[in-house]
Amino acid sequence: GMTVPKHLIDGFKDRYYFAANLFSYDPKLQDVWVAKVGNLEAGRCISYSMLHMAWQAGCAKVVLVGHDFACTQGMYYWNEPLTMAVAQGQQMILAQDMNDCATPTGPIMITNCETLMTSAKFCEQDGMPIINASEAGIMAMENRCMSFAEALAFVPDVPVAPLQAEEQAIPVLDWT
């Protein structure tokens, strides 16, 4: 539409849309939708598809903001506090965050975080660094967590230590 920058429209002559959740409600719609408008790779969260779009568009870097994958400051969403009912329903646990603090998170958030961190490694290997400027949460990407101002000033062709290739597990606190 009118809010999409022209260079993105031109870069995607064949338009792509994230629709994985739509398909789970109506599997028959998937074939019609994909044939008509195409589709981005769908991971467990929309951020995965957005990384795919940025990679397809040839972006030099991606700066993530608000990717805490935890209930930082007691919030489940930006406008919804974490209640006991939600915490129990989401099987919340305490995990070590990037600031070395205990923060509530859950299995779904941990899986989404690990999916995005793994995808970030592949993007970086292909020359597109992913920077986490969230400043809180469990997505502690080695060498790639910085303030938003630092992330905007980051120039990808300046050599920095690459992300580690081995798996980086989210540290979970054992309260037993």
Side-chain angles (χ1 to χ4, degrees):
M2 299 301 291
T3 60
V4 178
K6 184 175 179 348
H7 69 278
L8 280 180
I9 294 172
D10 293 344
F12 286 91
K13 300 280 186 224
D14 299 316
R15 295 183 132 186
Y16 291 87
Y17 298 86
F18 180 82
N21 292 340
L22 178 67
F23 299 155
S24 67
Y25 292 112
D26 187 355
K28 294 177 193 173
L29 185 59
Q30 180 173 355
D31 294 336
V32 174
W33 180 275
V34 172
K36 183 177 179 183
V37 298
N39 193 30
L40 287 169
E41 284 188 29
R44 291 185 50 90
C45 63
I46 195 166
S47 297
Y48 176 87
S49 294
M50 296 305 99
L51 282 184
H52 184 227
M53 183 180 79
W55 179 79
Q56 290 282 1
C59 293
K61 67 181 174 184
V62 172
V63 177
L64 302 172
V65 178
H67 283 73
D68 54 5
F69 295 104
C71 297
T72 55
Q73 298 179 355
M75 299 300 287
Y76 185 60
Y77 285 107
W78 68 272
N79 63 345
E80 183 182 339
L82 177 64
T83 64
M84 281 303 293
V86 170
Q88 290 170 342
Q90 294 292 318
Q91 300 173 341
M92 293 286 173
I93 57 172
L94 288 178
Q96 181 180 345
D97 73 2
M98 66 175 58
N99 299 312
D100 202 26
C101 296
T103 189
T105 188
I108 294 171
M109 288 188 261
I110 290 171
T111 301
N112 289 344
C113 179
E114 290 172 346
T115 298
L116 205 57
M117 287 173 49
T118 301
S119 301
K121 292 173 187 175
F122 286 108
C123 290
E124 179 142 336
Q125 289 172 2
D126 204 35
M128 185 180 76
I130 311 300
I131 301 164
N132 185 6
S134 300
E135 299 185 21
I138 64 171
M139 195 166 153
M141 297 169 55
E142 188 174 334
N143 303 319
R144 290 292 186 266
C145 290
M146 56 189 78
S147 71
F148 186 65
E150 292 169 322
L152 292 179
F154 177 80
V155 179
D157 54 348
V158 174
V160 294
L163 292 169
Q164 298 298 313
E166 66 270 359
E167 290 289 327
Q168 181 177 342
I170 305 300
V172 175
L173 301 177
D174 183 6
W175 292 95
T176 57

